C-alpha cells in the first residue's frame, strides 16, 4: 500500500496559510490608505473581526 510522506500533506496547508496572510495584509494596508473599509463599516476589516 502506498502512503504519502507526512511532509507532503503539510505543503498545501502551509501554502494556503501564506496566501491568506499575504491577502489579508494587502487588504489591511489598502483600507487605511483609501480611507474606507471594503466591508462598508467604520473600522478596517481585520479590526472589525478582532473586536467581535
Amino acid at each position: 500500500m502506498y502512503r504519502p510522506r507526512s511532509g507532503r500533506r503539510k505543503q498545501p496547508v502551509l501554502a494556503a496559510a501564506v496566501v491568506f496572510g499575504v491577502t489579508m495584509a494587502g487588504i489591511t494596508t489598502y483600507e487605511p490608505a483609501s480611507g474606507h473599509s471594503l466591508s462598508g463599516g467604520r473600522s478596517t476589516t481585520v479590526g472589525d473581526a478582532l473586536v467581535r
Side-chain angles (χ1 to χ4, degrees):
M1 178 186 278
Y2 173 75
R3 294 199 317 181
R5 288 187 248 163
S6 65
R8 298 275 185 214
R9 292 183 204 169
K10 294 178 184 177
Q11 285 178 339
V13 173
L14 180 61
V18 168
V19 169
F20 178 78
V22 169
T23 302
M24 288 308 296
I27 290 171
T28 304
T29 303
Y30 169 78
E31 288 178 333
S34 69
H36 59 67
S37 169
L38 292 177
S39 64
R42 293 187 303 215
S43 179
T44 62
T45 303
V46 173
D48 238 5
L50 293 176
V51 171
R52 291 181 187 184

